[in-house]
Amino acid sequence: MYVSGTSPQSGPFEELAMPLFDQLYNFARWLTQNTEEAEDLVQETYVKALKGFSSFQLGTNFRAWMYRILRNTFLTSRTGLRATMTVALDSEQEEPEQAVENETPETILMKRSDSQLILSAIDGLPVHHREILLLCEAEEMSYQEIAETLSIPVGTVMSRLSRARRTLRNHLGRKLHGDEAGVEIARGTNYGL
């Protein structure tokens, strides 16, 4: 017997969805940069996901499915449309940068710098850079999970992540070393970072 207003599928949905609540809220907060909008976005995401749960194929990546719903809901919201109206003109299909086996300049810089500076720098990134960094670094999603969440190829994930890291690195370089040093960092001189 079911309580009125619940569906037979709400039990399995709750088991899968509730552990993701805090992660989804954090991601929504970073996307919207507003507490109330983030709460509304997460609530709308859960409503849409519950309504569409019958279309979810068990055995596939539920986490990526939920993030995709949240992201699509954000992008179709007034805030999301306004924030994504401007997109960089550079090509999405640039060659990926070579992977570095040791610490990257970003990780070294993050260890040395003030966390508030980093948070404000991430807040200042365009949405498409901010979301890719957060999914990779904060949510620790694999490239494949990010590709599923954003509905883009894995190669595009890698190029966007590279560009987002470069933008963050340049912004932090300018803040930490002044504008002149930031220009040198952008040219490739890293001053021991």
Side-chain angles (χ1 to χ4, degrees), residues 90-109:
D90 56 343
S91 170
E92 290 285 335
Q93 299 301 324
E94 291 179 3
E95 286 187 32
E97 293 181 2
Q98 295 294 321
V100 179
E101 291 184 26
N102 297 328
E103 288 186 317
T104 64
E106 296 85 19
T107 59
I108 295 170
L109 184 60

Side-chain angles (χ1 to χ4, degrees), residues 113-125:
S113 65
D114 177 36
S115 64
Q116 188 59 38
L117 176 66
I118 294 169
L119 294 175
S120 69
I122 291 172
D123 279 344
L125 291 175

